[in-house]
Amino acid sequence: MITPQPGQRIQLNDNPECHIRILGRNAERLGVAAINLQGAVLPFEEGQEGNWYLSSFASLGDQFEIIAYILDDRSGGFVNQSYPIQMEISGEQYALPAPDGQLAAIILAEIYMKSGTRRMKVSNEGYTFGIDAYLRARNLPSVAMPFRQQRRSREEQDRPSPFEPDRHRPSAEPGQVIGTGSGIIVAPDLIITNAHVIEDGESFRQGRTQNLLRPVAVDPKHDLALLEGSTNGQPLPMRIGAPIWLGESVMAAGFPLMDVLGADLKVTTGNISGLAGNHGDISRFQFTAPIGSGSSGGAIVDEYGNLVGVTSASLAHGNMRERGSISENVNFGIRSSFVFEMIAAAGFTAPMLSHHSENNRREVVNRLRASVVSIIVSA
């Protein structure tokens, strides 16, 4: 078994067979395919227990990449835990190098021709935000990758969750508005919102200006999406170094129920009621400021107007009643530190803004008007 280094070049036969063996955890959540720069995709044949096979690369031409990727990446998860991964090609077996960062899609190898000889460059690089981020980086956003699906039973799909973000969208004709949400300007021409706000849409506009927005990174695991487009507001300072504390006063700002309550910003008050989310999820916290459908993606700020989190979900009262429980104002936010990390992972730079220190409520709300926006989602 050969253990190559990342970036190592290996000479291959002219048209070799290729076997991939995924030996780590959750192998059943991965797919393997080869794709060239023109968008031609050649899926590997799936065997049993993490074995994948491709008999010929001939149809892909002289240059392509072999990709392993999480199939149900809307449920989160990374390729890393599926290592070790082995490859057998040109009669040799290789133990592929594991990635350094957390990746939901990884380039295992680049195959290319040089001086009439087929070669392989071993890789351990990829994309935190999955195969869609890979396709966007290769300017192939319309390519449909094989095997992708939500691997859940029909019973699981129909089972209601007690933790309910605004996910109920009717079917619609192309161009029809199918929903609204909230977003936060976090850098010039960058808006953060929830992944579930945009998941069923094809086009996105900022409500205030009608400017088009383009998704540049989506993190389904943490329910975050980064949108790029012309913004006419001010980035909101993120409170990163100072942790939130239990009982701390906060405000939630967003655009709930725009069709009923109007298109102006709504602000509610409450406090931090828990320092973890569902089942102890430390990426989230609980807060009591009332929210409604459309609040998702809005800002949760401290008393000075510094961003401490992004509104994500609310405990669904109906489902809790069915379980014989009662809940009031149990809402969940995503910590702002994850927003900061996502901006960096997507290749952007968050501005180093001074934290606000004036807690005059009227001034705080005026600043929120310039930083929190509505998002219009269309089919």
Side-chain angles (χ1 to χ4, degrees), residues 173-200:
E173 296 295 325
Q176 180 180 342
V177 174
I178 59 174
T180 63
S182 305
I184 309 157
I185 301 174
V186 289
D189 297 334
L190 284 179
I191 292 172
I192 197 76
T193 186
N194 290 142
H196 77 257
V197 167
I198 69 167
E199 69 176 348
D200 296 323

Side-chain angles (χ1 to χ4, degrees), residues 135-200:
L135 293 172
R136 285 193 295 270
R138 297 294 187 272
N139 198 28
L140 302 171
S142 61
V143 170
M145 295 297 290
F147 313 116
R148 293 190 76 188
Q149 57 185 315
Q150 294 285 349
R151 292 198 170 188
R152 298 187 299 164
S153 68
R154 174 59 59 183
E155 179 184 357
E156 290 174 322
Q157 292 179 28
D158 293 339
R159 184 183 303 141
S161 168
F163 300 93
E164 192 65 40
D166 328 332
R167 294 185 189 271
H168 304 295
R169 296 271 174 83
S171 58
E173 296 295 325
Q176 180 180 342
V177 174
I178 59 174
T180 63
S182 305
I184 309 157
I185 301 174
V186 289
D189 297 334
L190 284 179
I191 292 172
I192 197 76
T193 186
N194 290 142
H196 77 257
V197 167
I198 69 167
E199 69 176 348
D200 296 323

Side-chain angles (χ1 to χ4, degrees), residues 183-192 206 208-209 229-237 253-255 263-267 299 301 305 307 353 356 361-374:
I184 309 157
I185 301 174
V186 289
D189 297 334
L190 284 179
I191 292 172
I192 197 76
Q206 183 180 334
R208 180 189 303 160
T209 63
S230 178
T231 57
N232 297 326
Q234 296 297 318
L236 199 60
F255 294 84
D264 56 324
L265 184 70
K266 306 299 186 295
V267 177
V301 300
L307 185 69
L353 303 174
H356 295 307
R361 182 69 59 83
R362 179 175 293 180
E363 291 303 318
V364 170
V365 172
N366 283 338
R367 291 196 296 267
L368 290 174
R369 291 184 185 277
S371 302
V372 183
V373 301
S374 59

Side-chain angles (χ1 to χ4, degrees), residues 185-188 190 234-238 340 343 348-354:
I185 301 174
V186 289
L190 284 179
Q234 296 297 318
L236 199 60
M238 285 182 274
F340 186 86
I343 294 171
F348 296 93
T349 301
M352 301 303 293
L353 303 174
S354 298

